[in-house]
Amino acid sequence: MARTIGSHSDITGPRVREAALTLFARHGYAAVSMRQIAAEVGVQAGALYNYTPDKQSLLADLLAAHMDELLVAHTAETPKNSAPTDALEHFTRFHIRFNAARADAVFISYMELRNLSAENFGRIEALRRVYEGRLEAILRAGVASGAFDIPDPKITALALIAMLTGVNTWFREAGRLSLAEIEEIYWGMVRKTVAV
Amino acid sequence: MARTIGSHSDITGPRVREAALTLFARHGYAAVSMRQIAAEVGVQAGALYNYTPDKQSLLADLLAAHMDELLVAHTAETPKNSAPTDALEHFTRFHIRFNAARADAVFISYMELRNLSAENFGRIEALRRVYEGRLEAILRAGVASGAFDIPDPKITALALIAMLTGVNTWFREAGRLSLAEIEEIYWGMVRKTVAV
DNA sequence: GTCTATAGAGAGATAGAC
DNA sequence: GTCTATCTCTCTATAGAC
């Protein structure tokens, strides 16, 4: 990769995070060296330290940014005051669509938590619990209104999220099913799971 | 850890695999050194090479052994000629119970596939597909008999396995729910998911 | 079968020139 | 802001003594 002398902080910064995300997802955090990331970006390893204090912070920032984006997008796209069934359908479709568009970030969000410091781990986990809490709230509202029959809303929330996130392990753009078809199938399963 | 001079191949071998399993699950394959494994066992790093040709084979053997155990146990414990609903209930309970008892092995089976050579990866994946195929066959039999209503048995098989395996991410022996209660809740969800 | 010692490669991070 | 050079450490794997 060609490079020029001079100032590139506005370009190089995002490229570093992008390269780290891709490489961490493909080979794992511990297996990727700073030199590999630098090579992908087209700089020398030392230059990376203009953008991150160390390797661990690079990972933590990627995970935190992903969780932030998830919560912000979910808030922005969620209609207010929906009936529980509508809210659950929206959550289902949002989750599949959002995660399918960010396969690498979702992957490292599950795989690389153990490589975070205790403090960073706590921060990321708290954000994840907020997201899980939103689904749980939808389920509880549906139970309260009589729309859903669920013995344990917390467990059901975790079970549904695991089921939906599982799409990422096999979904391929060129596969047998389109994302729209997958949304339909999964919404059908979610709907029946909570049905009275 | 104390150690003695002499021959211990029958003891040390299993201890090496045990230590590797625990450490790989806790810190990740790439982050664990042969020295750490040796220290856990109570030998020097060089001695490990009496039990594995290299680090990669150690991982591959752990994953292959886990998948073999899974298929053997599932075959042994599965009643013959069950009605689809009974077979599905058995699969659900078996999966939860088997995986809860082997959290470390399940974890690395999902997390460390990318650290396998292409050949080892193909071998492990084939075993996994056999297991998924058994659930899919149950679902298809239920559709054929009219017991289940499922738009896409392959996708439903993957979705249910993801849901069931998700238990491992939060289940703790000392937690709010016993494994028996969890089995009940999940069987309730599975039953409704496939219901006519 | 395990030890000690080490070869050889590669890691993360820093210093100083430009 | 990036480079080159390097410090210091750790890694996998092997050799040879016991």
Side-chain angles (χ1 to χ4, degrees):
Chain A
M1 169 125 352
R3 62 157 225 95
T4 42
I5 305 280
S7 172
H8 298 285
S9 70
D10 50 340
I11 294 183
T12 307
R15 279 169 54 74
V16 167
R17 288 188 286 278
E18 202 179 309
L21 180 64
T22 306
L23 289 170
F24 289 166
R26 184 140 56 220
H27 306 293
Y29 170 79
V32 173
S33 69
M34 295 298 269
R35 283 173 177 79
Q36 275 179 276
I37 298 171
E40 185 78 12
V41 174
V43 297
Q44 293 301 313
L48 296 179
Y49 291 87
N50 290 313
Y51 302 97
T52 182
D54 50 38
K55 191 184 173 191
Q56 149 93 202
S57 302
L58 189 51
L59 175 64
D61 287 350
L62 288 172
L63 298 194
H66 172 66
M67 291 308 299
D68 278 340
E69 261 187 71
L70 173 67
L71 289 173
V72 167
H74 181 247
T75 301
E77 295 182 25
T78 298
K80 302 289 174 202
N81 306 315
S82 295
T85 301
D86 292 339
L88 183 59
E89 177 173 358
H90 179 271
F91 185 96
T92 299
R93 294 183 187 275
F94 169 82
H95 188 93
I96 290 174
R97 220 177 326 112
F98 186 91
N99 283 359
R102 288 161 183 80
D104 285 346
V106 172
F107 194 71
I108 67 170
S109 289
Y110 279 83
M111 308 288 260
E112 304 295 358
L113 288 172
R114 61 194 170 179
N115 286 306
L116 294 176
S117 66
E119 189 195 4
N120 284 332
F121 177 80
R123 200 163 108 247
I124 307 290
E125 274 302 286
L127 294 173
R128 190 196 304 282
R129 277 194 297 276
V130 169
Y131 185 67
E132 292 167 355
R134 293 187 186 178
L135 175 55
E136 192 185 334
I138 293 171
L139 298 181
R140 288 191 191 281
V143 171
S145 77
F148 303 157
D149 179 16
I150 299 171
D152 192 315
K154 186 175 286 296
I155 299 300
T156 298
L158 295 174
L160 292 179
I161 287 176
M163 186 175 85
L164 296 175
T165 305
V167 170
N168 271 38
T169 62
W170 54 263
F171 175 66
R172 298 293 173 268
E173 201 75 58
R176 171 168 67 90
L177 297 170
S178 71
L179 212 46
E181 291 170 319
I182 292 167
E183 274 185 38
E184 285 304 312
I185 293 172
Y186 274 77
W187 166 234
M189 292 191 286
V190 170
R191 187 170 31 79
K192 287 169 75 176
T193 301
V194 302
V196 176
Chain B
M1 170 126 349
R3 61 157 227 94
T4 42
I5 305 280
S7 173
H8 299 284
S9 70
D10 49 340
I11 294 185
T12 305
R15 280 170 53 75
V16 167
R17 286 188 287 279
E18 204 179 308
L21 180 64
T22 305
L23 289 170
F24 288 166
R26 186 139 57 219
H27 307 293
Y29 169 79
V32 172
S33 69
M34 294 299 267
R35 282 175 179 80
Q36 277 178 274
I37 298 170
E40 185 79 12
V41 174
V43 298
Q44 293 301 312
L48 298 179
Y49 292 88
N50 289 313
Y51 302 97
T52 180
D54 51 37
K55 192 183 171 191
Q56 149 91 205
S57 301
L58 189 50
L59 173 65
D61 287 348
L62 289 173
L63 297 194
H66 172 67
M67 290 308 299
D68 278 339
E69 263 188 70
L70 172 67
L71 290 173
V72 167
H74 182 248
T75 301
E77 296 182 25
T78 297
K80 302 289 174 204
N81 306 316
S82 296
T85 301
D86 293 338
L88 183 58
E89 177 173 359
H90 179 272
F91 186 96
T92 299
R93 295 183 187 276
F94 169 82
H95 188 93
I96 290 174
R97 219 175 328 110
F98 187 90
N99 283 0
R102 289 162 182 79
D104 285 348
V106 172
F107 194 71
I108 67 169
S109 288
Y110 278 83
M111 308 289 257
E112 304 296 359
L113 288 171
R114 60 193 169 179
N115 286 305
L116 294 175
S117 66
E119 189 195 4
N120 285 332
F121 177 81
R123 198 164 108 247
I124 307 291
E125 275 300 287
L127 294 174
R128 188 195 306 282
R129 276 196 296 275
V130 169
Y131 185 67
E132 291 166 354
R134 292 187 187 178
L135 174 55
E136 192 185 333
I138 293 170
L139 298 180
R140 286 190 192 282
V143 170
S145 76
F148 302 156
D149 179 16
I150 298 171
D152 191 315
K154 186 176 285 299
I155 298 300
T156 298
L158 295 175
L160 292 179
I161 287 176
M163 187 175 85
L164 297 174
T165 305
V167 171
N168 271 39
T169 64
W170 53 265
F171 174 66
R172 299 292 174 270
E173 202 76 57
R176 173 168 67 91
L177 297 170
S178 72
L179 212 46
E181 291 169 319
I182 291 168
E183 274 185 38
E184 285 304 311
I185 294 172
Y186 274 78
W187 166 232
M189 292 192 286
V190 171
R191 187 170 31 78
K192 288 169 74 176
T193 302
V194 303
V196 177

